[in-house]
Amino acid sequence: MQYQSTRDSSVSVSAAQAISQGISKDKGLFVPKSIPDISAELDALCKLDYIGRAKKVLGHFLTDFTEEELSACVEGAYLGKFDEDEVAPLSKVGEDAYLLELWHGPTCAFKDVALQLLPYLLTTSAKKVVDGKKIVILVATSGDTGKAALEGFKDVENTSILVFYPEDGVSPMQKLQMTTQEGGNVSVCAIEGNFDDAQNGVKSIFTDPALAKKLSENGMMFSSANSINWGRLVPQIVYYVSAYCDLVADGEIKAGEKINVVVPTGNFGNILAAYYAREMGVPIARLICASNQNNVLTDFIRTGTYDRNRDFHTSISPSMDILISSNLERLLYHLCDNDDKVLSQWMTSLTEQGRYTVDEKVKERLQSVFWGGYCDDAATKETIWEVFAKYSYLCDTHTAVAVNVYGQYVAKTGDHTKTVIASTASPFKFSGSVLDAIDPKAVDADDFVTAGRLSEISGCPIPRALRELKEKQPRFAGRCTRDTMEQVVLGMLGM
Ligand SMILES: *Cc1c(COP(=O)(O)O)cnc(C)c1O
């Protein structure tokens, strides 16, 4: 399996090269040249556990990894790291819907599923293509990626990691999770600005040839733990395949029966993984893209025009406060039949004018698979309350956006196809907003007191990783601006 760049189809690299490098030199993203078809294997996959399914699915994409290497990666990532070794369990809510709980890992958000595996994929890849070089991971985070990446890469030999987070764009629990991070190879820095500023800054550091040369002379190279890295996306395909298999194995659906999938979306990585699962032959009918009031994707899916020229809103679902969804570039590349010229024009227009409009063919293809919807903070809270009142189920703010948009979809279309809704974080990561939705008077200024009350009301335990934060001291207090990010990077590397 070879990988192309979305901005230059003539680029052709192995999976190991794509994963080590993170992003193509032309600023394009790596995509598989063809998408493997697993429809004939689904019956067999249904009989395996999560780890077995992961090995099979990854094997189709990482053809330059040996079977032993893949096994070591997958087992290292998932054995003993998730609550009761359940990486992606389903919870039924109502007649037709299932929440796919992706937050049972060490940092309580779905990012763990990919970021527990990525360090293994990356170090195995680096051995193949750039042996001996130290990998420097730069991360821009809207809150959850940062912590999950720090936890995945801490003390991994021959790597160091630096995370930038928007100063006022993360929850108190998320901030504390990052600033108290342990490990000898980790750094964390706040940036004045929002996630898009952090992500743009990191992207331009990555693709600066002078910096790359400087690093290379010092025996280092940059890579990315953001979902622009193929190694971040490919582990996420597995849980959609696995969810389908679980529904069949549990008798909830018949083999071959179609399902819909709803994903609370920010950078478009998670829903793109569901798209790949669909293209691989998993019987998925519709992909429902749920946004908060930063509804640039809703408008795009409905009109074919992507326009980031709008106010940026800070919401109670901060991991979705994004106006430039990087991974949309991969989807559009596939939808325009790998036309790197057209795609590059749209992306240039996005950089220069902040907008682009796709052609009719691409818009039709987009709308034949995707449905977009959004809701604001008030509706998100109402949904948290409703789900709790109806099903005694506590969902976080991001998951609630997805549940709300799913409700809108059913009301609009009358489509009662069985549906998997991605549940992306533990409610205790956003205790203040979640408790505010259920019993506003109980919210305390101290997030730990609030979490304790939420636990009492719901009967759900606070995850240990969050409980233990209370005892930890912050280690990182650094701040920078978009213009001084590069200095921070060089400073960390002692250059
Ligand atoms: C990152 C994140 C999202 C958005 O996922 P994308 O892959 O960026 O679309 C949604 N919910 C939570 C809790 C997240 O951490």
Side-chain angles (χ1 to χ4, degrees):
M1 168 78 72
Q2 292 291 110
Y3 291 79
Q4 299 177 313
S5 163
T6 49
R7 301 201 194 173
D8 180 357
S9 310
S10 69
V11 170
S12 181
V13 301
S14 65
Q17 182 70 39
I19 292 171
S20 326
Q21 212 175 309
I23 186 168
S24 182
K25 287 195 183 77
D26 46 61
K27 295 193 168 61
L29 305 184
F30 290 117
V31 289
K33 260 191 192 165
S34 60
I35 299 175
D37 185 348
I38 58 163
S39 44
E41 281 171 51
L42 279 174
D43 285 347
L45 286 170
C46 288
K47 301 193 176 77
L48 302 177
D49 63 3
Y50 192 87
I51 287 184
R53 291 169 187 165
K55 289 179 191 170
K56 294 279 184 214
V57 173
L58 294 170
H60 283 285
F61 287 103
L62 311 180
T63 49
D64 49 343
F65 283 48
T66 65
E67 217 166 290
E68 293 72 41
E69 283 171 337
L70 264 183
S71 287
C73 289
V74 171
E75 287 168 16
Y78 297 137
L79 274 180
K81 302 286 181 58
F82 285 71
D83 299 340
E84 293 160 33
D85 271 347
E86 289 227 70
V87 179
L90 288 163
S91 265
K92 191 166 184 175
V93 284
E95 275 303 297
D96 309 313
Y98 305 81
L99 288 171
L100 176 60
E101 294 178 358
L102 300 169
W103 40 265
H104 291 284
T107 77
C108 311
F110 86 92
K111 306 290 198 299
D112 284 327
V113 182
L115 283 161
Q116 283 296 308
L117 183 55
L118 181 65
Y120 291 94
L121 298 181
L122 194 55
T123 47
T124 309
S125 298
K127 275 204 192 98
K128 292 178 191 292
V129 291
V130 287
D131 198 15
K133 275 207 176 136
K134 177 170 168 177
I135 309 265
V136 180
I137 309 286
L138 297 184
V139 180
T141 185
S142 56
D144 291 325
T145 298
K147 177 61 183 179
L150 289 162
E151 202 52 43
F153 280 97
K154 81 169 170 207
D155 295 328
V156 172
E157 222 177 298
N158 242 355
T159 70
S160 62
I161 173 165
L162 171 56
V163 170
F164 292 100
Y165 70 92
E167 188 162 43
D168 301 315
V170 301
S171 81
M173 210 57 109
Q174 288 177 314
K175 183 169 178 173
L176 202 56
Q177 277 188 306
M178 288 187 277
T179 55
T180 58
Q181 178 65 42
E182 290 158 6
N185 63 338
V186 304
S187 278
V188 175
C189 185
I191 161 166
E192 282 173 36
N194 59 38
F195 170 74
D196 292 315
D197 297 315
Q199 171 157 271
N200 284 332
V202 162
K203 260 195 181 173
S204 73
I205 292 173
F206 271 139
T207 45
D208 178 341
L211 258 181
K213 186 156 169 277
K214 203 162 176 176
L215 254 75
S216 182
E217 285 163 7
N218 287 277
M220 301 184 230
M221 72 180 280
F222 283 130
S223 191
S224 164
N226 279 103
S227 52
I228 53 175
N229 193 323
W230 178 250
R232 246 302 282 286
L233 266 182
V234 69
Q236 297 181 227
I237 300 172
V238 177
Y239 50 71
Y240 292 110
V241 177
S242 184
Y244 189 84
C245 289
D246 282 344
L247 289 175
V248 173
D250 297 346
E252 298 288 336
I253 57 171
K254 292 194 258 331
E257 183 177 335
K258 290 208 163 154
I259 60 167
N260 290 336
V261 173
V262 190
V263 185
T265 296
N267 217 6
F268 211 76
N270 202 3
I271 196 165
L272 184 70
Y275 173 78
Y276 281 119
R278 184 182 187 275
E279 291 300 293
M280 291 170 80
V282 177
I284 295 172
R286 287 224 154 241
L287 296 173
I288 297 161
C289 175
S291 303
N292 65 24
Q293 51 275 53
N294 295 294
N295 57 356
V296 63
L297 286 166
T298 311
D299 289 346
F300 176 63
I301 293 167
R302 292 182 183 176
T303 65
T305 295
Y306 193 98
D307 190 350
R308 61 152 303 189
N309 301 306
R310 59 180 74 208
D311 290 338
F312 179 90
H313 300 283
T314 311
S315 76
I316 58 170
S317 43
S319 301
M320 297 157 67
D321 290 345
I322 291 176
L323 290 179
I324 305 177
S325 301
S326 301
N327 275 296
L328 190 59
E329 177 167 348
R330 285 188 163 107
L331 175 70
L332 293 178
Y333 182 76
H334 295 303
L335 294 184
C336 70
D337 298 318
N338 304 1
D339 189 335
D340 54 355
K341 302 288 171 307
V342 168
L343 200 271
S344 298
Q345 275 168 19
W346 293 337
M347 293 302 125
T348 306
S349 169
L350 179 62
T351 310
E352 288 171 2
Q353 276 105 45
R355 67 199 300 275
Y356 59 87
T357 300
V358 298
D359 55 54
E360 276 305 310
K361 178 193 72 188
V362 168
K363 183 174 142 187
E364 262 169 41
R365 287 180 178 176
L366 178 75
Q367 291 176 342
S368 70
V369 181
F370 290 86
W371 194 90
Y374 76 99
C375 72
D376 64 12
D377 282 353
T380 306
K381 285 189 185 170
E382 215 164 286
T383 300
I384 292 174
W385 184 82
E386 263 177 38
V387 172
F388 184 65
K390 254 190 181 158
Y391 309 112
S392 305
Y393 187 95
L394 204 56
C395 65
D396 97 291
T397 48
H398 305 77
T399 306
V401 170
V403 174
N404 182 291
V405 169
Y406 169 61
Q408 294 180 37
Y409 171 79
V410 174
K412 195 122 198 170
T413 60
D415 180 359
H416 286 280
T417 302
K418 296 265 167 52
T419 297
V420 166
I421 303 172
S423 174
T424 49
S426 156
F428 290 98
K429 253 189 133 158
F430 305 93
S431 296
S433 304
V434 173
L435 187 57
D436 190 36
I438 293 173
D439 184 3
K441 286 191 293 299
V443 179
D444 192 88
D446 181 333
D447 226 33
F448 291 101
V449 175
T450 301
R453 290 191 183 145
L454 191 58
S455 175
E456 272 166 38
I457 289 176
S458 66
C460 304
I462 306 174
R464 190 163 49 89
L466 297 180
R467 232 171 34 229
E468 286 175 355
L469 278 180
K470 202 176 168 179
E471 317 303 328
K472 294 193 174 157
Q473 287 305 314
R475 295 177 62 204
F476 302 101
R479 296 172 69 215
C480 69
T481 63
R482 167 81 164 75
D483 297 329
T484 54
M485 286 170 75
E486 188 176 322
Q487 279 154 261
V488 174
V489 174
L490 293 175
M492 175 192 75
L493 298 174
M495 285 161 58

